[in-house]
Each structure stands twice: as structure tokens, then as C-alpha cells.
Amino acid sequence: MSSAWAAEQQLPLQHPACGCLGSLGCLHDVSRAMGQLSPDQSDFDTRFLEVGGLDLDTVGVRPQGRLLLPPVMPVVDETGTSRGVHRPMVAVLLDQMWRSARDGITLSRSLGLPANVGTLVAPFARDEDLEALWQDRPKFLRALLGLRPSAVIGPSYSTWVGHSWLEQRYAMKRSLEVVRIFQDQGLFAIPHLAWGRRRDAEDLGDWLARNEPAVAAVDAQCVGPIFDAWLAELAWLRDQLHTRPALIVGGIRSGLRLQRIVSVWPESSFIYNGVRLAASHRQLRLRSDGRLTIVRYGRAPMGDLSLGLMPQDSQEPSPDLLYRRSLHEFERSLARCRGRSRLPPNSVLIDGDPGSPANRVRRRDGIVASISAPDRKSVGGRWHVR
């Protein structure tokens, strides 16, 4: 695994924005994200006090209740594009979560989902949007508690290539601290895994080994040209663990990368986001060689011609039909990937013991009282208050 790490040096960034080269429309901008944490800032000390310092062991996770993770969780929203896209669990992104919070009803009701469909809130978003969540945590928590999702992933604070170790470590610790806050409020919280340097990955592996979360998440949307190294590091991280969590993976489409992730982490479920693609009248198709192609229909933006997307026949399927087709293509591709690796189709049932002392939700007076970072230590996979 030495090729995955270059003597604590990071991988070269290939693009002035982020690793996805803008192909997924993530709108990340490294130049704006850089330098947000500096000893010269007036709130520098306050930020580290809020998260309890840089030691990951001052925050832990507890066993939780039941959660069914299907192989694929499609992203849904309030538009007609995702109409009728139902699976045992669906994913909801941050912007849709805020729109649904205005309705004053549960997330499922806001989106018109059947009662037996679970909802997973996935805060994979721009850094400035995730910073706003941190700055107004009470508002974010009130929204989540009103929406009552089945589960929520910790925010994907970026560990940008080129950032200082201080910034990367702060991003890691802050995401885990948000997970701690979620759990204190009775939400099923899923830690988001990210790292910058090998030292961070080693500490994250130790944290996972001690806490043994049943499920974790990664966002691969922006790894782009550094995918090979990122996957090698993910495989290295898995090898450090005796008990491997189920892994929710976001930002991956059908094709060879999907196959490689399944090979590295067989206990994976995937968030599939085809809403924007279908809304712009495009559809994913998988070629016989396992590579991905995009079919553009009549109303796709002319700018897409630069990507080599050729117009098709004049018949124009509706966006919701295109989404269902692309989702079906992704599910077929995943089934093939698991078949090639001789793995059965997977649905993961997370079944914690909510009645155990380690899993009792300790509520304090209101939401705001639970936001300050307490003096806690996770020891041996158990939750302790000192």
C-alpha cells in the first residue's frame, strides 16, 4: 500500500476546482474553500473548543436501532423528475431537505412517499452550505427533528488537496462531532469518512475499530482523476478493521469504478443521483465493454456537444422516465459487478440494541443545550461520560 501514500504528501490536484472536473456539477471551488481556518482568525480558538480539539477519541458513536439499507438508494426531490422512484430507502440532499422543512410535515409526507419507504438525509454539499449548517446548528437540528428522517449522514466537510493538515483534521473532527449531536437528539446518525494524510487515515481506522459503527458513508463525487489512489487508501483503511461497517457510497455512476468499489468493499450500498441528468433530458447507458455513455435527447443544452454527446431521435421521453431508466441501468450494473465478484445481491439490516445502556438517548433541556462539546471519551467501542 505504499503507493497510496507519498511520505505524508498529498496527491496533486488536476483541476482548479475539485477532482470531479465539474462533470457532476458539484460547484465546489477550492480557491474559495482554502484558507478558511487560520491562527490569524479571531475565532480560531473558539472553533477548536467547539469540537473538543483535534483528538478523534473525544467523540464516539453508540449502537442504534434498526435500519434497512438496500443496494441502491435513489435521490428524490419534489420535482416530477423523481416521481414514482421508490425503493426501501431513498436519499434526500440538503437543498431538498430545507425545502421540505418549510412544509411543517415529515420528510416522507412532504415528498409524497409511501409509508414503507425510508428516507436518508445526505448532506453532501458545497463547503459554504455546510459551514452555514455549523453556524446555525439549532436551526438545522429543528428541521431534522421535524422531518423525522430514517437516518442522516454526517456532513461531508472537505479535506481538500492543498489544505493544511490543521484544516483537514478540523473538517474530520467537526463531521464526527455533528454525528454526536445527531445521536444525542435521537436521530439515526451515520459517520462520514474522509481523510487527508496517512496519519489521519490511521487515526480514523483506530476510531472505527474502537467505536465499531454498523454503517458509515463516503462521498466519491469529487475524487475524479485521483480515484485510483483514493480507492487504494479506502482498501488500506478496510484492512485495518476487524469489524467492517456497511458502507454507503455517494457520487458513483455505473461502470468500471463501481465494479472496483464493490471489489474493495463488498458491504456497500450506493446513493444514485440521476435527477439533474434526467431533468436535462439525458440518460445513462452502459456499453457492452462496461463503460458508461450518456445519451442526449432533444432538449439537452447545446453546451453538452463539447462532451461528445450526440442528439438522438426526435422522440423525447419525459424526465421521470429517463430517471427510472438510468436508475434501472445503475441497478443492473451493480448486480453485474456483484456477480463478477461472486457476491450475492445485498441488503443490509442494521439492527442495534436501542434498549442497552450504551444506546440510551440522553436528552437535555432543548436542542441548544446539547450543542456544546462535552468532555467525553470513547473507550473500547463503548460510550463513556467523564
Side-chain angles (χ1 to χ4, degrees):
M1 281 309 304
S2 58
S3 61
W5 311 96
E8 286 289 34
Q9 298 195 3
Q10 298 181 83
L11 299 160
L13 187 65
Q14 303 293 327
H15 191 262
C18 70
C20 77
L21 308 182
S23 62
L24 301 180
C26 72
L27 305 180
H28 283 150
D29 186 342
V30 177
S31 62
R32 283 185 295 162
M34 281 186 177
Q36 290 186 350
L37 188 62
S38 166
D40 296 332
Q41 292 175 318
S42 59
D43 64 344
F44 180 81
D45 292 339
T46 302
R47 282 177 174 266
F48 284 99
L49 288 172
E50 285 180 328
V51 300
L54 298 179
D55 185 358
L56 303 186
D57 287 343
T58 62
V59 64
V61 294
R62 306 185 297 276
Q64 302 181 94
R66 293 170 63 92
L67 185 72
L68 176 64
L69 295 178
V72 179
M73 292 165 280
V75 170
V76 300
D77 62 11
E78 61 189 4
T79 69
T81 302
S82 61
R83 181 175 50 241
V85 176
H86 299 154
R87 296 297 184 273
M89 179 80 70
V90 296
V92 180
L93 301 183
L94 190 61
D95 55 350
Q96 179 59 57
M97 187 216 78
W98 284 121
R99 290 195 296 269
S100 293
R102 295 196 298 264
D103 298 337
I105 55 179
T106 66
L107 189 55
S108 293
R109 287 188 60 195
S110 172
L111 296 173
L113 300 173
N116 61 343
V117 173
T119 51
L120 171 70
V121 173
F124 299 157
R126 295 179 296 182
D127 286 327
E128 52 263 42
D129 295 329
L130 298 180
E131 180 65 26
L133 296 185
W134 180 255
Q135 295 300 327
D136 197 351
R137 301 188 287 287
K139 179 181 177 182
F140 184 36
L141 282 168
R142 290 187 189 102
L144 284 172
L145 293 173
L147 292 169
R148 299 205 297 274
S150 305
V152 57
I153 298 172
S156 60
Y157 292 112
S158 298
T159 52
W160 288 111
V161 173
H163 270 193
S164 68
W165 175 80
L166 195 65
E167 290 176 290
Q168 293 176 337
R169 187 67 169 216
Y170 175 69
M172 293 172 61
K173 182 61 181 296
R174 183 160 57 159
S175 184
L176 294 178
E177 176 63 13
V178 174
V179 169
R180 192 273 303 171
I181 294 172
F182 286 162
Q183 281 204 327
D184 277 359
Q185 296 300 320
L187 295 165
F188 194 113
I190 298 170
H192 172 262
L193 308 183
W195 56 91
R197 291 161 168 79
R198 176 164 184 162
R199 172 182 177 180
D200 297 324
E202 290 172 343
D203 288 348
L204 183 60
D206 291 341
W207 184 88
L208 289 168
R210 282 191 291 270
N211 287 273
E212 296 188 349
V215 56
V218 294
D219 182 15
Q221 174 174 280
C222 296
V223 296
I226 61 174
F227 175 83
D228 290 345
W230 173 83
L231 189 65
E233 293 168 8
L234 184 68
W236 178 90
L237 182 64
R238 176 186 169 87
D239 288 343
Q240 312 310 303
L241 304 177
H242 177 70
T243 301
R244 282 85 180 243
L247 189 68
I248 297 174
V249 183
I252 290 293
R253 294 179 177 175
S254 308
L256 300 178
R257 290 187 173 185
L258 180 65
Q259 172 71 61
R260 294 178 64 190
I261 290 177
V262 169
S263 299
V264 164
W265 209 296
E267 308 86 358
S268 294
S269 294
F270 293 85
I271 295 174
Y272 176 71
N273 184 7
V275 173
R276 181 176 297 182
L277 197 72
S280 60
H281 297 265
R282 293 177 290 177
Q283 177 186 347
L284 294 180
R285 287 184 183 172
L286 198 63
R287 302 190 317 212
S288 58
D289 61 0
R291 295 187 178 275
L292 195 65
T293 186
I294 301 178
V295 176
R296 180 176 68 84
Y297 290 87
R299 289 187 182 178
M302 291 302 294
D304 284 344
L305 294 176
S306 64
L307 299 177
L309 308 179
M310 301 302 296
Q312 301 298 306
D313 55 70
S314 58
Q315 285 189 334
E316 187 180 311
S318 61
D320 60 315
L321 177 59
L322 291 176
Y323 191 16
R324 290 196 299 272
R325 285 179 178 175
S326 291
L327 174 60
H328 180 62
E329 202 60 58
F330 184 86
E331 290 173 324
R332 286 178 54 206
S333 176
L334 178 58
R336 289 194 204 101
C337 291
R338 296 191 67 82
R340 291 190 192 103
S341 298
R342 299 184 179 180
L343 299 170
N346 69 314
S347 287
V348 180
L349 177 63
I350 308 300
D351 191 5
D353 180 13
S356 69
N359 197 32
R360 289 177 188 151
V361 175
R362 286 171 286 103
R363 295 186 178 275
R364 290 182 288 279
D365 296 335
I367 295 173
V368 178
S370 73
I371 290 172
S372 61
D375 185 16
R376 293 177 178 166
K377 186 81 172 178
S378 173
V379 181
R382 302 285 289 184
W383 181 266
H384 294 267
V385 179
R386 294 187 298 190

